[in-house]
Structure formats: C-alpha cells, structure tokens
C-alpha cells in the first residue's frame, strides 16, 4: 500500500506539470479558434504532428533506456546519463544543420513555401525539446518531482504569456497608435509565426533552466555502453514512431488525402480543435506514465509487485472513466471554450476520448514486455496499430471526412489493448480484476447512454441531471472500492 501511495503522490506532482502542459493546448486551442483562421489552425496541427514524429527519432527511445540502465545497480548511473545526453545532443545538432541546408524544399513540402522561417523555428523547437528530455528523465529517476514540475510550469507560463503578448497585446498597441514602437519585431499578418516563436522561446528557456542538471555529472561517452543501451532502446524507437503515428497520422495526411477538396485544411482545423477537447484524458495518462515507469522498474527486483500493478491499472480505468463522463456530461459548458463555428465537430469528442482511454490501458499493460526485455513486441503492436490507422484514414476519410479519423483511432487502440493483454498474460501474468473493471466500464457506458437518451431542454436541468448520473458512478465505485464507510460490496 505504501508503494501505491507513493505512486499516486508522484502522479499528482508530475500531473500538475503534465496536465497544465496539455492545458496549453486546451487553453490555446480555443484561443486560436478566435484569432487564427481554420486553415491556419489546421496547418499548425499538421506541423506539430510532424514535430512529434521527428522528436521520437532524435530521442531514440533513450528515456526508457536510461531508466532501464541507470536503475540497474551494476551500472554507473552518471556514465549512463552522460552517454545518453551526448547521443541526443549530437543527433539534435546534426538535425538542425540538415534542416538549415534543405529549409526551402522542406517548406515547399509542408505547404509553407511563403514562410521557410517556420521550418527553422520548428527545427530549433524540436532540438531543444529532444535535448531537454534526458535531464527531465534524470530528475524523475532521482525523485525530484517538484523541480521537474517547477521547470515545466515556468515554461508553460512563458509560452502562454508570449502568445498573449504577440497575438492579443500587440494588435491592441497598433490600434492605440503605438505601431511604430513595435514595428521592429511585429507584423500584423504573422500570427501563426508568432505561435511558433512563442514555442521556440519557451523551449529554449527550458533548456537553459535545465543547464545545471545537464552539467551535473562528469561527461564520459562510453561506446560499448551506448551499444547495449541502443540494443534495448532500438525497438522502442519503432514503438515510439508507430505510437506517434497512431496519434498524429490523421493530422499529417488528412490534407494530402483530400487534395481535391479546397476546404481540407479548414476541416483539419475543425477536427484538431475538437480533438483537443478530449485532451484531459491524455493529460491524466501522461501524468500517470511519469510516475508509473519509475514505479515498475524500481519494484522489479525482489518482492513480486504484480498485485500492485493490477491495482494501478484498475484505478487508472476508474479515473479515466470518470474523466470521460465528466467531459461528456458537461459538454455544453466545455464547448464554449471554442468558437461556435467549430461546434460541428463535437461529435468526435466521445469517440476520441474512448480511444485515448484504450491507449492509456494499453500503456499500463505494456509493462510486461518492458520488464521481460521483450520490447520488440511493443514495436510490433504499434506497427499493427499504424496499419489500422493508415488503412482507416486512407479508405474512409474521402467518404466520411474527419469522423473516419476518430473511428480509426478507436478501433486501433481497442485492438492494441486486447492483443497486449492476452500476450502479457502469457509472458508476464498479472492478476487484473477484470470483473471489477468490466463492471465500471459497463456502468459508465450505461450512464452515458441514459444521458444521450434523456436530454432536458433547459440547460440547468440537463446539467443537474448529468451531475446526478456522475454522482451515481462515484457512489458505486466508492462502495465497491470501500472508500465510503459501511459495508463493502464484493465482486471478485
């Protein structure tokens, strides 16, 4: 129980920074719906999908590799750290140099021929984030969640402030007659560029704040150690690439599938804005991951902690279903965050949230191949998911538009979750309480169904009714989990 308390404590701390980091997208995406054209928002989602893909290539699976080797008492933790960060830094600098050489062709390829500077902004952002990833892992391994959170939160706040400065304050200054004072750096037709500049500055400052941890050890590059780390991490690169592609492939290829549709970039903007409404579940998954990875590796030696892993997964599902119901039940409030012209895409929100929940469970189940050093299975699972996503998008997007993107993700993560469970029970059996998980899942879906069938006209009555439904879920879970005083229900 003490281990579980530590896990949830770290989840809460890491979650503060992770959830607020994701909240940038939740806050800024509604903000962008009012200040960027739909096509610009579509382009931004396309660019960031590409950066996520490249970031995986530059990090090379070394986040998990670092945990695995630095957590081994037979390894020199400082030597592992210096080797990993040297590898990532060299690769990142080579990447920026290559982009600088081929900047214009890349800009033409991504539809930014008029703004090749966007390409360099993105390259530097990616490099800074890649190099920063290893010091952040160093903080996690050494149990410094508060330092981790403080740096993350400062970067987040800086990004928000810069966006507000460039996109809101500067136009006001121009209207007030102060345009000449800021003309040396501000252009009225450059909003998308300022979004990227804000991100670049915040990423660079984050790297500077991590400087003391970057140089916290004596640098030694151990080539034999590098080969051993890469043998472990290489399958994770494939896994990471496929995982990111599973999450972002729709945004990457959507406008290229609908090349004959002049509204393709606008449709992508609508889809991206509504998909971000579901981001709260991704926030929770990411926060849980930050605490869960060091938890499973630190508990691997000695006492069998499989019951604790099973409990962690059960509570993850309980929390995920609660988040799902809360967003869906209060969608009338949540939708006010985005411009009304984007409300046509709200129908994708529950589908994407369920897909994200399946993805989170899949991550929990993935401990079996990480702990048994069968990381190649993770790569195979993700490649399977990538095939499903790709086929679903290419075949059905021309027919059903962005709804095909949402349903493809749903099917993908559902299948990945099921396949990983059955494979895991073969190689590393964990006593998951499937009956309890199934009960909570069926209950949540039933309550959602009731909410969809019973829709009072008055908003306040509708919200009150949905609050009652959410309360039913909380009470049932609390009774079965013995959270409330009184008799505990049993379902084993």
């Amino acid at each position: 129980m003490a281990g579980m308390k530590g896990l949830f404590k770290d989840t809460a701390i890491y979650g503060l920074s992770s959830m607020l980091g994701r909240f940038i997208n939740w806050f800024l995406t509604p903000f962008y719906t009012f200040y960027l054209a739909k096509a610009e928002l579509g382009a931004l989602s396309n660019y960031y999908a590409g950066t996520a893909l490249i970031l995986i290539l530059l990090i090379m699976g070394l986040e998990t590799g670092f945990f695995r080797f630095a957590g081994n008492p037979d390894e020199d933790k400082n030597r592992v750290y210096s080797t990993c960060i040297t590898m990532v830094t060299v690769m990142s600098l080579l990447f920026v140099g290559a982009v600088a050489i081929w900047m214009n062709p890349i800009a033409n390829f991504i539809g930014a021929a008029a703004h090749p500077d966007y390409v360099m902004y993105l390259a530097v952002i990616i490099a800074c984030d890649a190099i920063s990833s290893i010091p952040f892992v160093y903080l996690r391994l050494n149990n410094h969640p508060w330092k981790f959170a403080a740096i993350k939160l400062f970067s987040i706040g800086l990004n928000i402030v810069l966006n507000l400065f460039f996109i809101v304050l500067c136009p006001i200054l121009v209207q007030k007659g102060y345009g000449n004072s800021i003309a040396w750096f501000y252009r009225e037709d450059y909003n998308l560029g300022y979004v990227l500049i804000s991100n670049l500055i915040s990423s660079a400052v984050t790297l500077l704040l991590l400087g003391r941890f970057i140089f916290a050890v004596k640098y030694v590059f151990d080539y034999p150690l590098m080969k051993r780390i890469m043998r472990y991490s290489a399958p994770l690169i494939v896994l990471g690439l496929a995982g990111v592609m599973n999450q972002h492939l729709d945004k990457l290829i959507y406008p290229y599938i609908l090349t004959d549709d002049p509204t393709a970039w606008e449709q992508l903007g609508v889809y991206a804005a509504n998909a971000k409404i579901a981001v709260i579940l991704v926030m929770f998954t990411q926060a849980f991951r930050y605490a869960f990875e060091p938890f499973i590796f630190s508990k691997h030696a000695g006492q069998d902690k499989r019951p604790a892993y099973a409990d962690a997964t059960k509570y993850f599902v309980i929390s995920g279903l609660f988040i799902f119901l809360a967003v869906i039940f209060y969608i009338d409030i949540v939708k006010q965050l985005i411009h009304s012209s984007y409300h046509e895409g709200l129908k994708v929100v529950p589908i994407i949230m369920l897909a994200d929940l399946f993805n989170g469970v899949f991550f929990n189940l993935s401990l079996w191949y990480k702990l048994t050093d069968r990381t190649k299975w993770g790569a195979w699972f993700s490649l399977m998911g990538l095939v499903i996503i790709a086929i679903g998008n290419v075949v059905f997007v021309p027919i059903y538009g962005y709804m095909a993107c949402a349903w493809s993700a749903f099917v993908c993560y559902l299948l990945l979750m099921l396949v990983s469970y059955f494979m895991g029970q073969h190689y590393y059996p964990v006593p998951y309480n499937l009956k309890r998980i199934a009960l909570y899942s069926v209950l949540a879906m039933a309550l959602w169904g009731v909410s969809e069938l019973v829709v009072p006209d008055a908003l306040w009555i509708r919200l009150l009714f949905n609050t009652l439904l959410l309360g039913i879920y909380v009470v049932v879970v609390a009774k079965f989990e013995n959270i409330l005083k009184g008799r505990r229900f049993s379902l084993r």
Side-chain angles (χ1 to χ4, degrees), residues 431-469:
Y432 298 110
N433 193 332
L434 297 183
K435 290 184 178 179
R436 195 71 64 81
I437 290 173
L439 170 69
Y440 300 145
S441 300
V442 171
L443 173 63
M445 295 304 101
L447 293 172
W448 176 32
V450 171
S451 175
E452 291 294 315
L453 291 173
V454 182
V455 186
D457 293 332
L459 176 60
W460 71 272
I461 297 178
R462 187 159 65 249
L463 294 176
L464 182 62
F465 178 69
N466 287 342
T467 301
L468 175 63
L469 295 178

Side-chain angles (χ1 to χ4, degrees), residues 420-438:
S420 183
Y421 168 76
F422 288 111
M423 292 291 292
Q425 291 304 95
H426 174 73
Y427 287 106
Y428 190 82
V430 174
Y432 298 110
N433 193 332
L434 297 183
K435 290 184 178 179
R436 195 71 64 81
I437 290 173

